């Protein structure tokens, strides 16, 4: 009984309390195991318009947007896949996928779920989403796949959001300060990019 209680406590500590998704560390461990065992889609999501929802309707509305995004991630990225909230309004998933043919469909379906309107205190609200993904064969290092999925997400964000599929596992952007060029913290003079 004590062991079961400890397992539940440990599982709770590894989950984001707002979304119920794995936190970054737990996500990365489970995602790496999944990638070592087979090919998969590696997906990165950033909500668009999230700050506007927070600023216009309050943090409770923003919290509901996070919960709805988590539900969308779990709906599309089913078991044995793994989903996580990396922080703020950024989410990730690794979903077993035998070949890259269905990746575009997976990302499009996820985008549709993420951008579906939701109800908050009698109002209908919505956020946009930039969704990037890459197909990774078995044994691909998670860091490489996440970097390329991040680049695809960035391309989607630059064109107004939506899904974007990376053409390969080869990064297209340079790295500055250990991060993809264009992300905060990549300005070589110390400011935000």
């Amino acid at each position: 009984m004590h062991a079961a209680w400890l397992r539940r406590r440990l599982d709770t500590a590894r989950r984001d309390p707002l979304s119920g998704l794995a936190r970054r560390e737990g996500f990365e461990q489970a995602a790496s195991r999944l990638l070592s065992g087979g090919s998969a889609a590696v997906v990165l999501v950033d909500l668009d318009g999230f700050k506007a929802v927070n600023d216009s309707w309050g943090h409770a509305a923003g919290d509901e947007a996070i919960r709805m995004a988590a539900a969308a991630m779990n709906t599309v990225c089913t078991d044995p896949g793994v989903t996580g909230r990396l922080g703020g309004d950024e989410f990730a998933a690794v979903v077993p996928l035998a070949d890259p043919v269905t990746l575009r469909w997976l990302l499009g379906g996820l985008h549709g779920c993420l951008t579906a309107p939701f109800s908050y205190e009698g109002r209908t609200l919505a956020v946009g989403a930039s969704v990037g993904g890459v197909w990774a064969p078995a044994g691909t290092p998670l860091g490489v796949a996440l970097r390329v999925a991040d680049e695809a997400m960035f391309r989607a964000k630059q064109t107004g959001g939506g899904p974007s599929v990376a053409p390969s596992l080869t990064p297209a952007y340079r790295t500055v300060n250990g991060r993809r060029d264009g992300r905060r913290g990549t300005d070589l003079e110390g400011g935000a990019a």
Side-chain angles (χ1 to χ4, degrees):
M1 190 156 138
H2 182 69
W5 177 80
L6 281 175
R7 272 194 295 277
R8 279 195 307 274
R9 296 272 307 189
L10 193 56
D11 184 57
T12 300
R14 290 180 176 151
R15 298 208 165 270
D16 171 60
L18 181 58
S19 67
L21 300 178
R23 294 178 193 243
R24 181 183 293 271
E25 183 180 343
F27 167 77
E28 288 177 350
Q29 289 173 358
S32 291
R33 278 192 306 272
L34 198 58
L35 271 175
S36 70
S39 58
V42 178
V43 180
L44 201 63
V45 172
D46 189 65
L47 298 182
D48 301 326
F50 174 73
K51 184 178 182 326
V53 168
N54 254 348
D55 291 349
S56 298
W57 306 106
H59 290 290
D63 289 351
E64 185 63 17
I66 293 294
R67 284 190 287 275
M68 297 307 293
M73 296 291 291
N74 282 331
T75 297
V76 175
C77 306
T78 58
D79 192 40
V82 59
T83 56
R85 181 177 179 204
L86 301 184
D89 61 346
E90 191 169 82
F91 302 86
V94 174
V95 182
L97 199 61
D99 62 68
V101 174
T102 57
L103 179 58
R104 191 168 304 282
W105 174 85
L106 175 76
L107 298 183
L110 178 57
H111 181 263
C113 286
L114 288 164
T115 58
F118 62 94
S119 180
Y120 173 74
E121 291 187 352
R123 294 182 177 90
T124 300
L125 303 177
V127 293
S130 296
V131 181
V134 65
W135 183 78
T140 301
L142 179 63
V144 170
L146 280 174
R147 176 173 175 196
V148 175
D150 177 68
E151 290 180 359
M153 182 273 299
F154 184 63
R155 279 191 300 278
K157 191 167 281 298
Q158 288 179 315
T159 59
S164 175
V165 175
S168 74
L169 282 167
T170 304
Y173 293 89
R174 69 187 181 109
T175 299
V176 178
N177 299 335
R179 298 175 59 101
R180 175 204 18 94
D181 193 17
R183 280 211 172 240
R184 288 188 184 273
T186 61
D187 183 345
L188 293 175
E189 295 177 16

